[in-house]
Amino acid sequence: MLSPTSVDEVRSLLPGLAAHEGRHGAIHVQPCSTGLNWGFGADQPADDGGVLMHLRGLKTIRHLDTDHGIAVVEPGVSQGALAERLQGSPYLLNVTASSAHTSVVGNALDRGVGLHRQRTEDVLGLEVVLADGTLLHTGRWPGPRTAPAPYAHQVGPGLTDLFLQSGLGVVTAAALRLLPRPETSRVLRLAFAAADLGEATRFLARVHADRLSSAVIKVYSAQAAAAYGGTSDTGYLAYVHLAGARPMVECARETVTEQAARAGVFAPPRVFGPDEEGTTLAEHATLRAYAGDPSANDAMVQDIFQVPVGQTELRGTAGWLFFTPVLPLDAAALRQAAALLDAAAAGLDAGMVVGHTFNLMPGGWVDMVVSLRFSHDADTSRRAHTLLDTLHERFAHAGFLPYRLDIDHADAAATLRDEPEVDHLLARLKGLLDPHHLISRGRYAAHR
């Protein structure tokens, strides 16, 4: 394992590795931020013979501009560390629902989802080391000739997206857009039966369309609530975050509450204030994450696995796998996806908790997270991985393609894209930027 502690070390290590051969042929370097990529492969290399380059030693918050809402952080900076630095400032972090120790950079590079938007929308620019040691800055990188502004583009074409979920370089820092801290906030919990998923989806889509909420609306199945250590005696629990000026939030609360009652499918809502605790560890973690605070997440994780956060993969009482397809924000699509999951999991869930969360994104699409929590014995582990294979196959057949891939399915990316011309161009770029194919195709993600 390689453990650089500076950008200069990364720049010096990569060119020297290109000349070496390993047991499986050419060495492939697998960059990793903090390694808490739970459910997708943790910090394991995606290629046989891969050498792990652990970037947790690059842990500096290089720049924090709380006048304009910009942070420049290295891969070893956790979301907990950055959120703590932002306490008392006019800005907060777009927190994701994983451990406080996960990497902000790693999660953004693998298109992780925060409580307010997808993490890629936070990325203003990247600092990248290419295979030959060249240092590159993409996007709107803060510098002496660039006035500070949370705008992600320079004049002309940009390169930032080339380094998301790719092996074209080692990202050593990211410039991130922060969220303005609202005057106040409320979270509404709306419960509804599984049979009412269609009508509830149409209602929640209108909440976004009418600009009543600008955050991700999280919709947990009863099984997902159980998988995350919570409880639910109903089909689904939806969480709607309302934030802004106090009169506006109060008006939005009244509007959503009244319209939910008229919809006729929801139980009376529970309204949480900005400092209230949830009824379970999982619910409390969700409420705090909406407020830009991931400090409650680890209590939830430790309650599930009964070990400290950093030991979940090796010593946890259960295993975790995730499947994350993209769905249209359409009632029929969500019902179809739920039915596909039920059919695939029928008869296979002994020793497993198979849940799903619909993350209704402000941009008008749905990030579905299927969570497979299973016993660590060999037979149950095998059945859990078989179920994951089945989900990939059946959802792809229905046109619901994943936006993140675990290491066992990383090779499926080219097939799922179905864009041979683009893949040919990417291969040519790989040859130009990394002629020895030194850097693994695997990802930097440090989420879940």
Side-chain angles (χ1 to χ4, degrees):
M1 183 175 73
L2 305 172
S3 301
T5 58
S6 70
V7 178
D8 286 341
E9 281 189 64
V10 176
R11 297 184 70 184
S12 64
L13 282 170
L14 287 176
L17 288 170
H20 292 279
E21 293 281 321
R23 236 181 7 164
H24 300 274
I27 287 178
H28 295 285
V29 176
Q30 172 75 60
C32 170
S33 296
T34 59
L36 302 184
N37 189 29
W38 300 326
F40 294 100
D43 62 355
Q44 298 304 299
D47 294 312
D48 289 339
V51 175
L52 194 66
M53 178 177 282
H54 225 305
L55 301 173
R56 57 190 166 201
L58 279 71
K59 55 185 178 181
T60 301
I61 300 174
R62 296 187 190 174
H63 179 67
L64 194 58
D65 182 346
T66 55
D67 291 324
H68 303 95
I70 300 169
V72 179
V73 300
E74 294 180 340
V77 175
S78 69
Q79 64 171 354
L82 183 53
E84 185 176 2
R85 282 283 300 275
L86 289 168
Q87 287 181 5
S89 81
Y91 288 89
L92 55 84
L93 177 65
N94 177 28
V95 166
T96 191
S98 187
S99 168
H101 298 283
T102 57
S103 166
V104 181
V105 174
N107 184 233
L109 293 177
D110 205 27
R111 301 192 178 105
V113 172
L115 271 288
H116 292 272
R117 58 195 178 202
Q118 193 174 50
R119 276 270 179 85
T120 50
E121 295 180 45
D122 299 334
V123 177
L124 298 171
L126 299 175
E127 179 182 88
V128 186
V129 177
L130 302 182
D132 65 357
T134 298
L135 189 67
L136 173 71
H137 290 98
T138 74
R140 192 176 182 89
W141 191 261
R145 298 182 58 219
T146 306
Y151 177 68
H153 309 284
Q154 292 281 23
V155 176
L159 299 175
T160 299
D161 282 356
L162 289 175
F163 299 99
L164 305 179
Q165 294 186 347
S166 82
L168 297 177
V170 176
V171 175
T172 51
L176 303 170
R177 177 190 292 114
L178 304 173
L179 291 163
R181 192 178 299 275
E183 179 184 340
T184 193
S185 65
R186 298 286 184 274
V187 176
L188 274 63
R189 183 183 69 197
L190 298 169
F192 60 94
D196 294 320
L197 176 60
E199 186 59 36
T201 298
R202 283 185 282 271
F203 171 83
L204 295 171
R206 286 307 316 171
V207 170
H208 271 159
D210 292 340
R211 310 279 179 94
L212 294 168
S213 173
S214 60
V216 175
I217 297 176
K218 299 190 73 67
V219 183
Y220 295 97
S221 72
Q223 296 84 355
Y228 296 130
T231 58
S232 172
D233 57 1
T234 186
Y236 288 94
L237 293 175
Y239 292 87
V240 180
H241 181 257
L242 312 173
R246 196 173 301 275
M248 184 184 74
V249 170
E250 185 60 24
C251 181
R253 182 196 63 77
E254 292 178 0
T255 300
V256 174
T257 301
E258 291 172 3
Q259 291 181 353
R262 288 200 298 269
V265 299
F266 299 103
R270 167 70 190 272
V271 181
F272 295 92
D275 299 317
E276 290 189 62
E277 294 190 2
T279 56
T280 66
L281 289 174
E283 185 171 74
H284 181 57
T286 298
L287 299 179
R288 295 310 308 152
Y290 272 124
D293 175 14
S295 62
N297 293 0
D298 287 352
M300 173 187 69
V301 175
Q302 290 180 198
D303 183 65
I304 294 170
F305 292 102
Q306 299 298 303
V307 295
V309 168
Q311 302 176 26
T312 54
E313 291 289 330
L314 296 176
R315 296 181 53 232
T317 55
W320 236 350
L321 293 172
F322 287 95
F323 172 61
T324 52
V326 172
L327 311 176
L329 183 49
D330 174 84
L334 269 61
R335 286 198 300 265
Q336 183 182 2
L340 284 170
L341 177 60
D342 288 343
L348 286 174
D349 58 352
M352 286 187 276
V353 179
V354 182
H356 61 280
T357 304
F358 294 123
N359 292 312
L360 277 58
M361 307 301 292
W365 56 282
V366 177
D367 151 39
M368 182 182 185
V369 178
V370 178
S371 55
L372 312 179
R373 181 178 162 194
F374 57 93
S375 301
H376 260 159
D377 62 275
D379 180 63
T380 307
S381 297
R382 177 187 56 78
R383 288 187 290 112
H385 282 86
T386 298
L387 175 55
L388 182 62
D389 292 339
T390 301
L391 293 176
H392 273 276
E393 178 183 344
R394 295 188 182 183
F395 274 70
H397 182 73
F400 302 144
L401 304 182
Y403 68 94
R404 297 177 71 178
L405 293 170
D406 60 279
I407 59 174
D408 290 336
H409 296 88
D411 288 332
T415 303
L416 291 170
R417 288 169 57 88
D418 195 24
E419 297 174 315
E421 296 83 4
V422 174
D423 289 327
H424 178 65
L425 178 59
L426 288 173
R428 291 178 61 187
L429 283 171
K430 177 73 172 173
L432 289 171
L433 300 178
D434 183 9
H436 298 285
H437 290 264
L438 172 68
I439 302 169
S440 171
R441 70 183 183 281
R443 303 159 312 286
Y444 294 73
H447 171 58
R448 286 203 287 259

